[in-house]
């Protein structure tokens, strides 16, 4: 059984007064294996954000299912959804989503605090993570005192400190310069190399070419997939660029 199973996923939104319906997703089906590093690409309006919200149990599908370790996320009650996300999912966002009134250390601890973990356990978990991510000397600083790349590393630490089954990354390089982007992608590769499953939504060809599989969305459907195989980042980059060109010119599925 795959770790994440998406089957026949459909999402229809009604307009404000219910006169029209917008089909954001239609029959989206794919799986993610444990330890996989996958990216999802597509133009604005292709359904990427809607899909991510459903995978994060932030919204419920109109049809189909999302299962994590065999558990249907639509069956997670609203009252338990926040705890489910905290215990099973890690999130990395484009805008970091750090609290400016908290130090980096306290931002990283936050999901563990909400889970009721003792302070000694939080310290024990953070020490090796902070060393690995190169932020051990920054933990007492506030988000406004560090660079964008350092903020994102703190956000990654917050995502992995809960030991999640799946990391969902939403445009994680979108607010970073090229150097910080390279650092983050190396970091993701290292984390994935230890067995962490990562699913990343991105517009960046460079970011997607660091993954091992790329799913392309168009008009609410999975249009095409690319597997890295033995390709280098550069070779995968070119294949991704070619596929995006096909998408933009209205080419058929291949």
């Amino acid at each position: 059984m795959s770790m994440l199973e998406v089957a026949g996923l459909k999402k229809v939104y009604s307009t404000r007064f219910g006169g029209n319906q917008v089909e954001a997703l239609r029959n989206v089906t794919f799986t993610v294996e444990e330890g996989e590093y996958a990216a999802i690409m597509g133009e604005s309006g292709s359904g990427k954000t809607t899909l991510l919200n459903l995978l994060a149990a932030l919204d419920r599908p109109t049809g189909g299912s999302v299962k994590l370790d065999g558990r249907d996320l639509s069956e997670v009650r609203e009252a338990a959804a926040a705890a489910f996300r905290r215990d099973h999912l890690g999130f990395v966002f484009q805008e970091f989503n750090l609290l400016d009134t908290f130090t980096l250390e306290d931002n990283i601890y936050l999901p563990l605090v909400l889970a009721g973990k003792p302070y000694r356990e939080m310290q024990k978990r953070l020490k090796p993570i902070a060393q690995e991510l190169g932020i051990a000397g920054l933990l007492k600083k506030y988000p406004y005192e560090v660079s964008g790349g350092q903020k994102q590393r703190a956000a990654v630490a917050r995502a992995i400190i809960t030991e999640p089954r799946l990391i969902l990354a939403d445009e994680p390089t979108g607010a970073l310069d090229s150097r910080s982007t390279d650092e983050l992608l190396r970091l993701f590769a290292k984390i994935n190399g230890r067995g962490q499953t990562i699913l990343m939504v991105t517009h960046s060809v460079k970011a997607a070419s660091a993954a091992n599989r790329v799913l392309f969305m168009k008009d609410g459907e999975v249009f095409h997939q690319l597997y890295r195989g033995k390709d280098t980042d550069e070779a995968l980059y070119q294949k991704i660029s070619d596929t995006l060109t096909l998408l933009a010119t209205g080419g058929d599925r291949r």
Side-chain angles (χ1 to χ4, degrees):
M1 182 179 69
S2 300
M3 193 189 78
L4 180 70
E5 297 178 280
V6 179
L9 201 61
K10 181 179 179 180
K11 183 63 181 180
V12 177
Y13 292 103
S14 296
T15 55
R16 184 176 179 183
F17 298 107
N20 295 304
Q21 291 189 325
V22 178
E23 190 175 41
L25 295 178
R26 64 182 82 176
N27 196 33
V28 173
T29 298
F30 66 92
T31 60
V32 175
E33 304 301 320
E34 185 166 5
E36 194 171 2
Y37 181 1
I40 297 174
M41 301 194 78
E43 297 178 336
S44 296
S46 62
K48 300 189 308 299
T49 300
T50 299
L51 175 60
L52 194 67
N53 287 340
L54 295 176
L55 298 180
L58 291 168
D59 198 358
R60 295 182 183 273
T62 306
S65 64
V66 177
K67 293 182 180 180
L68 182 64
D69 292 326
R71 183 177 184 182
D72 193 329
L73 301 194
S74 65
E75 295 175 359
V76 178
R77 295 183 179 181
E78 288 291 338
F84 177 85
R85 288 190 290 270
R86 184 183 65 230
D87 294 341
H88 299 279
L89 304 173
F91 297 92
V92 181
F93 303 96
Q94 178 176 341
E95 299 299 334
F96 320 125
N97 285 19
L98 299 174
L99 300 174
D100 278 337
T101 54
F102 283 18
T103 62
L104 296 187
E105 181 178 43
D106 288 339
N107 269 285
I108 296 166
Y109 282 155
L110 188 56
L112 297 183
V113 171
L114 294 173
K117 300 296 182 183
Y119 183 62
R120 184 172 294 181
E121 181 180 341
M122 294 193 292
Q123 285 183 306
K124 184 179 179 181
R125 287 197 193 188
L126 178 56
K127 186 174 181 180
I129 292 172
Q131 290 288 348
E132 181 179 34
L133 303 193
I135 56 173
L138 303 173
L139 294 177
K140 300 301 181 183
K141 291 185 177 292
Y142 289 86
Y144 55 82
E145 297 179 303
V146 301
S147 70
Q150 291 166 336
K151 288 179 187 177
Q152 196 61 297
R153 276 182 271 163
V156 172
R158 180 184 58 193
I160 65 177
I161 200 169
T162 60
E163 300 172 354
R165 292 290 289 143
L166 174 66
I167 287 180
L168 296 173
D170 186 11
E171 300 287 359
T173 64
L176 302 180
D177 59 28
S178 59
R179 180 179 176 182
S180 296
T181 292
D182 289 342
E183 289 176 352
L184 180 67
L185 295 177
R186 281 195 294 269
L187 182 59
F188 271 12
K190 189 174 183 180
I191 294 169
N192 174 249
R194 293 203 311 264
Q196 176 65 63
T197 309
I198 302 173
L199 185 59
M200 171 176 60
V201 170
T202 183
H203 280 100
S204 168
V205 176
K206 184 174 187 178
S209 64
N212 294 319
R213 177 165 59 123
V214 185
L215 296 89
F216 298 87
M217 293 194 68
K218 181 179 180 181
D219 299 330
E221 297 182 273
V222 175
F223 172 84
H224 184 55
Q225 296 187 60
L226 285 176
Y227 290 85
R228 172 183 294 278
K230 296 182 179 180
D231 284 344
T232 62
D233 286 1
E234 292 74 18
L236 186 57
Y237 184 105
Q238 187 58 54
K239 288 182 178 180
I240 293 169
S241 297
D242 292 344
T243 303
L244 291 175
T245 299
L246 186 71
L247 280 166
T249 56
D252 293 327
R253 210 178 257 101
R254 61 178 184 179

